[in-house]
Amino acid sequence: DTTGKFGPFGNQLFVGEQTMSTVLRVALEKVNGVYQGAAFPFRGKFRSGNVAVRLGPDGSMFVGGTDRGWGARGGKRFALERCHFNGTVPFDVLEMKAKPDGFEVIFTQPVNPTLAADIASYQMSAYTYIYQSGYGSPVVDKSTPSITAATVSSDRKSVYLKVNGLVKGNIHELNLPGVKSADDKSLLHAVGYYTLNEIPGK
């Protein structure tokens, strides 16, 4: 989004997902000269398999879909749909940032500090896939990094998660089932997937 008109997601990427008929959101950063970052669910229930996603100058998102003969959850052979920001900022994870010993998780709204500081509010797994010429891959190299501390920022809009067992090169899936906003709302999407190509130096 380079329009500045699509809510709090300026300069983030939106990616069409064909099979599940969804749009994903990606927040990037550069670590040790390498781009990496986290993908989050964004919107679902589109009518075909999403391929093209474009933002118009007014901030509208236009999503083009086709099942390409493969099928897609939306069920239609093709579709062209429009999505726009309604002015209400959802309670969601805005970004994940890699740290030498964990992740900083940034939210769109202040969190309940007691729940956000409880390591039981989070679950993490790490894994990757086999990049190969054959179609698809099972999940491989799975591990369970342990979250040992959760420190809430003074403005209550971010949490520093200290993690033992980070795996360079692997996806780190963070689930946040116990986190709620300061006014007791649940997260719109309580999961993020960070591909840790590089671990920052201390």
Side-chain angles (χ1 to χ4, degrees):
D1 173 24
T2 59
T3 69
K5 300 176 181 178
F6 205 73
F9 307 114
N11 295 315
Q12 296 193 359
L13 306 179
F14 297 96
V15 181
E17 204 290 322
Q18 199 276 333
T19 302
M20 303 304 290
S21 302
T22 64
V23 171
L24 308 175
R25 176 171 58 86
V26 178
L28 293 176
E29 62 175 341
K30 188 179 278 189
V31 176
N32 300 337
V34 176
Y35 278 111
Q36 61 187 35
F40 306 94
F42 182 65
R43 293 281 81 187
K45 298 185 178 179
F46 288 90
R47 294 176 183 172
S48 192
N50 296 329
V51 179
V53 181
R54 298 289 184 273
L55 275 106
D58 67 343
S60 292
M61 176 185 291
F62 295 93
V63 182
T66 173
D67 70 5
R68 296 177 60 89
W70 301 331
R73 174 170 284 186
K76 300 292 185 182
R77 294 300 313 273
F78 53 85
L80 177 61
E81 298 175 84
R82 178 187 178 208
C83 178
H84 62 89
F85 177 56
N86 67 6
T88 301
V89 176
F91 177 51
D92 219 342
V93 178
L94 181 62
E95 297 177 80
M96 283 177 67
K97 292 185 176 292
K99 299 297 179 183
D101 57 354
F103 295 95
E104 181 185 13
V105 184
I106 301 166
F107 299 89
T108 58
Q109 296 177 12
V111 296
N112 176 311
T114 302
L115 294 174
D118 185 353
I119 61 173
S121 293
Y122 309 91
Q123 299 163 1
M124 179 168 280
S125 61
Y127 50 85
T128 190
Y129 297 92
I130 302 168
Y131 292 90
Q132 58 188 354
S133 59
Y135 187 81
S137 166
V139 169
V140 296
D141 196 22
K142 191 162 186 178
S143 62
T144 307
S146 58
I147 298 171
T148 60
T151 304
V152 181
S153 65
S154 58
D155 65 1
R156 300 183 180 180
K157 292 188 75 173
S158 68
V159 178
Y160 196 118
L161 298 178
K162 189 170 182 179
V163 180
N164 285 342
L166 295 174
V167 184
K168 182 177 177 179
N170 282 12
I171 299 162
H172 288 67
E173 178 180 328
L174 177 65
N175 287 272
L176 307 93
V179 175
K180 290 194 173 185
S181 69
D183 54 357
D184 204 40
K185 292 192 292 254
S186 296
L187 284 160
L188 183 61
H189 303 104
V191 64
Y193 306 86
Y194 193 104
T195 300
L196 193 66
N197 295 321
E198 292 284 333
I199 298 175
K202 294 185 179 180

